[in-house]
């Protein structure tokens, strides 16, 4: 889907490009926001959320997760730049570049736009590989060539250390300044909203300080990365000369999307089948049980692999549906999410079925029957709301598993299209590079740290969520 | 008991038929044999004859369900559905797209897969339960909290990293083990140690954490308190009362997996060049050899269903309250 | 709170306090087995709300000391403190618990292990969960013997059989190898007692040992405990909420209220002359049994004829229906307008299933249920709809009978909306507010959620919910048995008051005979799916004809 926006608005003309996954990610954020809003209305849920956020860990991990989500969202607003008019082209007609950019690319500045020829180490000024060089005096030597972009602003290599130190300070300073400004605004807003209802003694204040500190640290790191990333290759470059840091950051969107979309696409199926089986029982239950036992019995990885392969064949045989390369990659990505979802909905469905069986025996459902409340209303008012914590817990728990699964799928060769930046693909490529002599380790580092931080934060956060919402663990802590 | 097993086996048949139909739809209806031939032979520059020849060679040149040209029973048997799907029930896997017999390949490669998977699995269970029990002894202390953080950290690291770093440091840097390879017979152990160790370590985070929460749940139950009130020592409570009572959930998670161990591990086997079923399958996926993938999907679900039945049987052994009927 | 105790405490803070009290009421012919003095326990994360405050009492050999109080008053915490088995969240801050020669708090954990089970043994409320489900009962008793004695395994087995014999388990040789789930509730509790007695302890802590049991079984278990107290010269701490049990079993009584013992006395003296208002409230929670309700019978509103409800039992390879469990096996009764019929019976007798069938939530296998000459058990869901507002229900458990995610207003409104009473929202709100006032709650409570209310308040909300659709008949399925005694009477009074005002009929399903004279006009006694006797309350309770009714009546622990 493309929406043309004429020149003049932003100087050059450009065209919004909306990928299907972009639409879905924004729908998703909307849906989650709605869910949270409706979920919050109940005071018990509010209390549970308060329990999650009253811990420093909960605040800190939440801020980290939100940072990832924001980056993913910024990276989901795509456009194509207009190409400068060539000779003989009528002024009416504008051609757009085949490269799709996102707002994140803009925010990162030149970082993604400065390809070297091949490998280079982090902060290196010279290439990793020796090449035949032609010296100005005509002599041919074999040496490490200087990098085209990294450190190009340096007048002489001796100034390197000083330059790094200076720009680091500038970068961190910028990040911190922005963070402080935002924190100040937030603190001001907090004080104003709190002054309204003083004397609310029994609710302890939330540990905003840890949120602020985490936020400031993230902003400082981002500030530093963006500043330095535009001057050097902070994490080096890969075989094709692309900036590793840039690729890793672009991988955030893929990671966040795969963790959320896969569950969300199939959640309606899991919920409706699980509910129907548990509530109506009888033959509906038999059918649902049959369907999920059949699906579970196929080894998950195999089903995913087979489906992805078959979808690839379909895409290759039907190229007419996809205008640009990224759209094809996007379609493949969505298919992957869908397939991952298909193979993972069974667990949730089983849980929901069991819980529905239990709830529909409870007195309040029986009382609703005695009032002649319709099946639909009983499900809507009595059963679904009391399942919401299970749905939420499973959503959060699945997230990290899916992010990790992506890497394994990439290794097997049924992962995300190489046209789309993804940690799995980076890890997959880097695994062979590590065994080279001397090893090339930096290609792994970016993906490793970003992935690890995300998964760890989500795991820690989901632990807290489960402790707060699961009645079983609640008993244990009480 | 006997009639229960018979009934479960009968129940397995519709499930296997379901698996079969699903794979059939995936492999032959979503994509026709022509599509696959085109994909195999290279996209655009393929002639119609080459496609037909490929199809005929692989035996895909029959109608899907009903063959109107054949006589008698042949209307049903001379079809793709019968030859490629139903024959799986007789464990007749046919030949791979590369022309080898899948059945003999599978039998040959099962050994190496088991040599890796069985020790990894059982050592893993032993290590995880021991770690969880140890942590449980210090329940509520700082050590316990620290252990939980370590578990979560361990489970946040991708499986691939364990393999990559394990291979890099243990084999390449310190040269303790061979990097990869496999040897039949007794000498093979040198090749197996590293993948087994990595397999066990990579599982500790998630599993030990799971066992710990199981133990904690059970230790909060009334009978544990009764045992303490009888004067049973903490260790006695743990081993005589809590552990036997966690067997049921542990078995649910564990026994189901045992038959599926035959399938090997895709990633581990290929990283360490172990010629098992996992790497066989991975090669098939990468070469888009659908005949093998189809056979393995079927084999996998058969093994899973066997696992389910074994789980139920093991329940009766672990819990006197469970009666199969 | 208590004058006597406060005085005693102020005079001498430790050992003196307990002896001062005991001296007051107890002729000291019995030897002291255990003394608890000034026990204080607090919750770790709420250090300022104490769970136990200066609890002091003595246990003596050959004597049952009953600690009574409502749920949450700290009775169980006291007994767990004695064994030093408090949950991690609780800490003992002050006090002393000592056997004649040992201070329990001075022992190491290992030494304490020698006290538990050997000197002090404990039995718990729910024997099924308190026994290890995957070990045979014999093995569980053997474990205690192995720890504390030097018997060999054949001696242990012999001893176990002996114990089983002593606690009155039938066929002890065989029962030794059974698992807990194979036994009935009463037998499980007997196993618990046998286990507790295995090493001949001096002290037995019994935490609500009969609450989970039927009255007839309760009586047997209490008699067993009483008999063992004398024959083995045990010192028994009996924890209970049931004044009838206290009266029947205890020698001395301590009343616990919000973590304090507010009154303790000799049992007879206590019941004759309770000092504290709260104690009196506990004793007088129900009026005497000699006052019966009667009513001129009108034409029956509801008539049940030969009702049968059978559940299929499937077996074998093809899961054929092998036989039927006859939950309800041909019962007939009727209820008139403004009348209360009590359906009495022990657990599993089919009384609740009957209630569900009248609500058309359970399909009747045979027989008819007539409501105002309309046969309702064959109606479809849709045809039943107009009758839904005529027949309503109140459930036993006030915590599971309301959706925790709906406000009280929404809960009450639901039936009105679905059955089409009161058209506009304003009318409904008005009605909800008047209903809440009627059940003695505040109109503003409609904005709150169920978990903000206590059990008794919730039961009032449940009553308001049932009344919202103006029913003629309310099925009350054990509406008071999950409530504390002092609240029970309030809820019953409310039900009576509503009956007088609104002329509704009740089918009152209960296992508790003691409340029947208070509420019912007529009684039907159920056993094993059949009604064995029915008639006017006075007649059934004073001149029971059927043997089972007599057994039931005898088993009811009476306060007076």
């Amino acid at each position: 889907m493309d929406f043309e926006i004429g020149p003049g608005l932003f100087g050059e003309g450009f065209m919004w490009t909306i990928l299907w996954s972009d639409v879905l990610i924004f729908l998703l954020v909307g849906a989650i926001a709605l869910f949270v809003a409706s979920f919050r209305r109940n005071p018990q849920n509010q209390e549970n959320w308060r329990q999650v956020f009253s811990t420093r860990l909960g605040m800190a991990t939440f801020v980290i997760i939100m940072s990832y989500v924001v980056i993913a969202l910024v990276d989901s607003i795509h456009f194509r730049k207009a190409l400068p008019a060539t000779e003989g082209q009528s002024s009416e007609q504008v051609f757009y570049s085949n490269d799709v950019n996102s707002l994140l690319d803009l925010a990162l500045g030149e970082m993604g736009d400065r390809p070297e020829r091949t490998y280079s180490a982090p902060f290196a000024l010279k290439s990793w590989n020796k090449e035949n060089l032609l010296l100005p005096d005509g002599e041919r030597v074999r040496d490490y060539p200087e990098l085209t972009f990294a450190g190009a602003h340096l007048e002489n290599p001796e100034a390197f250390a000083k330059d790094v130190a200076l720009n680091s300070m500038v970068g961190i300073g910028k990040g911190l300044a922005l963070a402080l400004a935002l924190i100040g605004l937030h603190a001001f807003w907090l004080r104003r909203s709190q002054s309204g209802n003083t004397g609310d003694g029994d609710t302890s204040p939330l540990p905003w300080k840890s949120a602020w500190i985490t936020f400031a640290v993230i902003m400082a790191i981002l500030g530093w990365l963006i500043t330095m990333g535009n001057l050097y290759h902070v994490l080096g470059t890969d075989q094709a000369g692309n900036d590793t840091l840039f690729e890793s950051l672009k991988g955030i969107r893929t990671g966040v999307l795969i963790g959320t979309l896969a569950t969300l696409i199939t959640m309606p199926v899991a919920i409706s089948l699980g509910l129907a089986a548990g509530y109506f029982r009888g033959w509906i239950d038999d059918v649902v049980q049959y369907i999920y036992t059949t699906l579970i019995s196929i080894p998950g990885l195999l089903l995913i692999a087979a489906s992805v392969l078959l979808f690839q064949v379909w895409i290759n045989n039907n190229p007419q549906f996809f205008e640009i390369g990224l759209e094809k990659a996007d379609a493949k990505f969505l298919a992957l999410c869908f397939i991952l979802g298909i193979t993972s909905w069974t667990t949730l469905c089983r849980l929901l079925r069991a819980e529905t069986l239990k709830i529909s025996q409870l007195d309040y459902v029986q009382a609703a029957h005695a009032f002649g409340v319709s099946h639909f209303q009983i499900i809507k008012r009595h059963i679904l709301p009391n399942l919401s914590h299970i749905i939420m817990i499973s959503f959060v728990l699945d997230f990290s598993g899916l992010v990790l699964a992506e890497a394994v799928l990439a290794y097997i060769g049924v992962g995300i299209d190489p046209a789309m930046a993804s940690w799995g693909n980076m890890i997959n490529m880097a695994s062979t590079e590590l065994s080279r002599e001397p090893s090339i380790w930096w290609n792994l580092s970016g993906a490793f740290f970003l992935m690890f931080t995300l998964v760890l934060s989500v795991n820690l956060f989901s632990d807290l969520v489960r402790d707060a919402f699961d009645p079983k663990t609640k008993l244990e802590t009480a | 008991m006997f009639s229960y097993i018979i009934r479960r086996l009968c129940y397995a048949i519709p499930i296997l038929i379901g698996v079969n139909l699903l794979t059939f739809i995936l492999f032959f209806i979503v994509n026709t044999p022509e599509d696959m031939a085109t994909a195999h032979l290279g996209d655009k520059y393929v002639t119609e004859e080459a496609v037909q020849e490929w199809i005929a060679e692989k035996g895909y040149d029959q109608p899907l369900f009903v063959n109107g040209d054949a006589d008698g029973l042949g209307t049903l048997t001379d079809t793709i559905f019968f030859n490629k799907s139903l024959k799986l029930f007789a464990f007749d896997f046919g030949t791979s797209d590369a022309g080898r017999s899948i059945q003999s390949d599978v039998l040959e490669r099962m050994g190496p897969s088991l040599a890796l998977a069985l020790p990894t699995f059982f050592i893993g269970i032993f290590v995880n339960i021991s770690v969880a029990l140890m942590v449980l002894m210090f329940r509520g202390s700082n050590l316990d909290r620290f252990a939980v953080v370590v578990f979560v950290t361990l489970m946040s690291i991708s499986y691939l990293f364990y393999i990559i770093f394990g291979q890099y440091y243990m084999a390449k840097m310190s040269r303790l083990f061979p990097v990869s390879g496999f040897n039949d017979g007794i000498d093979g152990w040198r090749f197996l140690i590293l993948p087994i160790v990595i397999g066990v370590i990579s599982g500790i985070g998630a599993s030990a954490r799971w066992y710990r929460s199981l133990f904690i749940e059970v230790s909060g139950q009334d009978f544990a308190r009764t045992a303490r009130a009888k004067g049973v020592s903490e260790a006695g409570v743990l081993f005589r009362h809590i552990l036997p009572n966690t067997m049921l959930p542990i078995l649910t998670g564990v026994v189901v997996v045992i038959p599926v161990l035959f399938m090997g591990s895709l990633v581990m086997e290929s990283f360490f060049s172990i010629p098992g079923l996992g790497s066989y399958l991975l090669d098939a996926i990468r070469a888009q050899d659908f005949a093998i993938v189809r056979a393995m999907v079927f084999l996998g679900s058969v093994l899973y269903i066997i696992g389910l039945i074994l789980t139920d049987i093991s329940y009766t052994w672990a819990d006197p309250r469970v009666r199969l009927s | 709170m208590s004058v006597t105790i406060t005085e005693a405490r102020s005079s001498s803070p430790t050992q003196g306090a307990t002896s001062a009290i005991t001296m007051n009421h107890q002729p000291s012919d019995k030897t002291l087995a255990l003394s608890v003095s000034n026990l204080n326990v607090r919750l770790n994360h709420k250090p300022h709300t104490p769970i136990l405050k200066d609890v002091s009492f003595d246990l003596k050999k050959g004597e049952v000391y009953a600690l009574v109080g409502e749920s949450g008053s700290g009775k169980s915490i006291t007994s767990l403190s004695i064994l030093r088995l408090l949950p991690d969240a609780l800490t003992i801050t002050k006090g002393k618990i000592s056997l004649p020669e040992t201070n329990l708090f001075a022992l190491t954990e290992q030494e304490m292990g020698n006290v538990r089970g050997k000197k002090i043994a404990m039995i718990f409320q729910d024997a099924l969960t308190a026994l290890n489900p995957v070990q045979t009962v014999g093995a569980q008793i053997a474990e205690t013997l192995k720890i504390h004695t030097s018997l060999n395994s054949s001696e242990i087995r012999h001893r176990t059989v002996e114990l089983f014999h002593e606690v009155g388990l039938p066929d002890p040789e065989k029962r030794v190898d059974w698992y807990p789930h194979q036994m009935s509730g009463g037998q499980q509790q007997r196993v618990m007692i046998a286990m507790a007695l295995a090493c001949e302890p001096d002290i037995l802590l019994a935490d609500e040992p009969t609450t989970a049991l039927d009255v007839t079984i309760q009586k047997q278990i209490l008699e067993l405990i009483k008999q063992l107290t004398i024959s083995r010269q045990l010192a028994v701490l009996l924890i209970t909420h049931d004044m009838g049990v206290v009266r029947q079993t205890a020698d001395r009584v301590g009343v616990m209220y919000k973590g304090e013992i507010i009154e303790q006395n000799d049992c007879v003296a206590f019941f004759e002359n309770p000092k504290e208002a709260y104690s009196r409230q506990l004793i007088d929670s129900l009026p005497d049994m000699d006052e019966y309700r009667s009513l001129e019978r009108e034409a029956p509103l509801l008539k049940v004829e030969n009702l049968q409800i059978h559940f299929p039992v499937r077996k074998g390879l093809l899961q054929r229906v092998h036989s039927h469990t006859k939950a309800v096996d041909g019962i007939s009764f009727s209820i008139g307008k403004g009348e209360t019929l009590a359906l009495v019976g022990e657990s599993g007798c089919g009384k609740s299933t009957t209630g569900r069938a009248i609500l058309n939530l359970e399909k009747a296998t045979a027989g008819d249920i007539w409501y105002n000459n309309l046969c309702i058990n064959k109606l479809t869901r849709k045809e039943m709809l107009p009758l839904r507002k005529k027949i309503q229900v109140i459930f036993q458990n006030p915590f599971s009978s309301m959706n925790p995610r709906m406000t009280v207003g929404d809960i009450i409104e639901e039936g009105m909306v679905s059955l089409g009473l009161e058209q506009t929202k304003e009318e409904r709100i008005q009605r909800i507010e008047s209903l809440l006032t009627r059940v003695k709650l505040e109109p503003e409570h409609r904005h709150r959620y169920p978990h903000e209310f206590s059990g008794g308040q919730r039961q009032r909300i449940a009553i308001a919910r049932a009344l919202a659709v103006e029913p003629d008949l309310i099925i009350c399925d054990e509406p008071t048995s999950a409530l504390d005694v002092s609240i029970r009477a309030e809820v019953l009074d409310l039900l009576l008051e509503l009956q007088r005002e609104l002329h509704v009929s009740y089918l009152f399903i209960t296992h508790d005979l003691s409340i029947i004279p208070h509420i019912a006009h007529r009684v039907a006694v159920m056993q094993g799916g059949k009604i064995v006797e029915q008639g006017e309350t006075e007649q059934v309770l004073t001149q029971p004809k059927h043997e089972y009714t007599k057994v039931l009546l005898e088993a009811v622990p009476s306060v007076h």
Side-chain angles (χ1 to χ4, degrees), chain C residues 39 112 168 188 223 228 246 255 263 267 320 346 391 495:
Chain C
L39 184 66
M112 195 63 210
Q188 288 162 1
E223 275 166 6
L228 290 166
V246 176
V255 178
E263 176 171 2
C267 189
R320 284 232 190 92
E346 295 184 301
I391 309 175
L495 284 172

Side-chain angles (χ1 to χ4, degrees), chain C residues 81-266:
Chain C
S81 305
I82 295 174
L83 280 177
R84 284 177 39 192
L85 285 175
L86 282 180
D88 294 339
L90 298 172
T91 317
I92 297 171
T93 48
K94 213 174 85 185
K96 189 175 166 195
I97 298 178
S98 51
L99 299 172
E101 66 278 11
T102 31
N103 176 3
L104 291 185
F105 290 167
L107 299 181
T108 63
E109 189 54 33
Q110 202 178 357
E111 287 166 337
M112 195 63 210
N114 293 329
V115 173
R116 292 181 195 135
K118 186 157 169 59
K119 292 262 168 54
I120 309 173
M122 186 156 181
I123 53 181
F124 298 94
Q125 174 174 353
D126 188 352
L128 180 62
T129 61
L131 290 169
N132 187 340
V134 304
Q135 247 181 15
T136 61
V137 290
Q140 296 183 52
I141 293 179
E143 188 181 20
T144 322
L145 288 168
K146 249 181 239 161
I147 295 169
H148 299 298
T149 65
S150 52
L151 300 175
N152 65 32
S153 55
S154 70
E155 286 166 342
I156 284 179
R157 195 181 166 86
H158 183 72
R159 179 98 186 84
T160 310
V161 174
E162 253 176 40
L163 282 164
F164 275 16
H165 194 75
E166 188 178 354
V167 297
L169 276 170
D171 213 353
E173 289 281 354
K174 220 168 83 192
R175 291 262 180 329
V176 170
D177 298 316
W178 281 21
Y179 288 96
H181 72 275
Q182 296 169 295
M183 300 180 160
S184 69
Q187 289 176 343
Q188 288 162 1
Q189 198 56 278
R190 281 170 201 268
V191 169
M192 274 305 290
I193 294 172
M195 192 154 80
L197 296 180
C199 300
E200 302 182 351
D202 305 326
I203 299 153
L204 179 68
L205 311 177
D207 188 354
E208 304 263 11
T210 57
T211 311
L213 303 174
D214 281 326
V215 269
T216 46
I217 313 290
Q218 162 168 310
K219 189 177 174 226
Q220 294 166 11
I221 297 287
L222 289 176
E223 275 166 6
L224 175 67
I225 291 176
K226 188 76 194 169
Q227 171 211 327
L228 290 166
T229 309
I230 295 159
S231 66
R232 289 190 168 219
Q233 281 298 300
L234 281 171
V236 177
L237 174 67
L238 177 72
I239 288 168
T240 182
H241 67 276
D242 188 335
M243 285 318 249
V245 169
V246 176
R247 176 93 212 202
Q248 193 175 317
T249 330
D251 298 302
R252 284 187 303 131
V253 186
V255 178
M256 205 148 194
Y257 182 73
K258 290 189 174 164
E260 279 182 281
I261 294 186
I262 54 167
E263 176 171 2
Q264 49 186 332
N265 205 339
D266 192 74

Side-chain angles (χ1 to χ4, degrees), chain C residues 259-455:
Chain C
E260 279 182 281
I261 294 186
I262 54 167
E263 176 171 2
Q264 49 186 332
N265 205 339
D266 192 74
C267 189
V268 182
F270 173 79
F271 278 97
E272 270 168 11
N273 185 19
K275 300 242 166 20
E276 293 292 318
Y278 178 74
S279 311
R280 186 165 294 128
Q281 196 190 335
L282 283 182
I283 297 172
D284 294 339
S285 60
L286 291 171
D288 296 349
M289 246 195 168
D290 43 72
E291 191 186 297
Y292 296 99
R293 300 184 73 195
S294 59
L295 187 82
E296 290 290 304
R297 291 213 72 191
E298 294 172 26
L301 184 71
L302 179 94
K303 217 163 70 193
V304 173
E305 283 177 352
N306 195 26
L307 179 70
Q308 294 179 27
I309 300 163
H310 297 181
F311 299 115
V313 178
R314 290 170 195 279
K315 262 194 183 158
L317 188 60
L318 296 169
Q319 294 290 287
R320 284 232 190 92
V321 178
H322 176 262
S323 60
H324 285 94
T325 311
K326 295 177 178 171
V328 178
D329 193 14
I331 62 169
S332 306
F333 60 85
S334 64
I335 302 172
K337 191 145 180 56
E339 188 186 52
T340 303
L341 172 73
L343 200 55
V344 200
E346 295 184 301
S347 52
C349 72
K351 54 189 193 303
S352 290
T353 316
T354 309
R356 287 170 49 80
I358 295 170
L359 287 163
N360 213 349
L361 298 175
E362 200 80 66
K363 274 263 163 286
T365 315
D368 290 316
I369 299 167
W370 298 88
Y371 180 84
N372 268 345
N373 301 324
L374 185 66
C375 181
I376 58 174
N377 57 316
K378 290 179 182 108
L379 298 181
T380 62
R381 199 181 160 85
K382 204 175 248 169
E383 289 166 341
M384 184 69 195
L385 210 54
L387 279 172
R388 291 270 177 224
K389 60 181 112 171
K390 297 293 171 202
I391 309 175
Q392 269 308 317
V393 60
I394 301 165
F395 292 101
Q396 167 177 8
N397 188 340
F399 292 89
S400 70
S401 71
M402 268 168 264
N403 186 343
R405 291 179 198 269
M406 282 165 76
T407 62
V408 167
D410 287 343
I411 288 169
I412 299 175
E413 191 182 11
E414 182 170 39
M416 290 168 22
V417 174
S418 115
L419 295 175
L421 270 86
E422 313 293 340
Q423 291 310 311
T424 65
K425 181 87 187 161
E426 285 71 39
E427 281 171 351
R428 287 199 296 268
I429 289 175
Q430 215 173 6
R431 180 149 174 77
I432 290 166
E433 291 185 339
S434 77
L435 279 167
L436 283 172
T437 323
R438 170 153 247 164
V439 297
K440 303 188 171 76
L441 293 168
E442 305 294 320
E444 302 87 70
H445 284 163
R446 72 185 172 89
H447 299 293
R448 300 222 199 141
Y449 285 84
H451 73 274
E452 298 170 59
F453 295 92
S454 69

